[in-house]
Amino acid sequence: MDQRFPGVACDAFALPRRRERGAGTVLALAVVAVTVALTTAAIGVTGAWGARQKAAVAADATALAAADVAVGRTSGEPCARADVVARGNGASMTGCVVEAVVVSVEVSVPYLAWETSAAARAGPPGSR
């Protein structure tokens, strides 16, 4: 009988002792590192999506406000009004074109080290 494994008649059936101490710790650290990396990437992508949505909303509001001025609902200059509305929505206007009563605008919103932009066009129904 083997002294290490009482009750086992032959060493052939005994499980060998391995000296892999700490392997579970390394595996746990790897799982934590992968989880942190994926979470960081997900937060970055979600933030970029949010900035894109903010730019789209700002562009829509800016174009609608400028179109109100272009058709005569409010007084002022369409692109000046568009700039005020864009800044009020946390964006900066990068382009404004007025063609009769149709206004096309482009705005940008900063996100971390980048900027995301969106464009919108507004005018009375049926105008092209």
Side-chain angles (χ1 to χ4, degrees), residues 16-74:
R17 286 192 171 186
R18 295 189 176 142
R19 300 187 189 264
E20 294 184 10
R21 296 178 189 255
T25 303
V26 173
L27 180 61
L29 286 174
V31 168
V32 168
V34 168
T35 303
V36 168
L38 290 175
T39 302
T40 303
I43 290 170
V45 168
T46 303
W49 179 81
R52 172 69 177 104
Q53 294 304 312
K54 184 177 181 178
V57 168
D60 289 342
T62 300
L64 289 170
D68 280 347
V69 174
V71 298
R73 284 195 184 155
T74 58

Side-chain angles (χ1 to χ4, degrees), residues 97-108:
V97 177
V98 180
E99 298 171 348
V101 292
V102 177
V103 181
S104 299
V105 296
E106 186 173 340
V107 299
S108 65

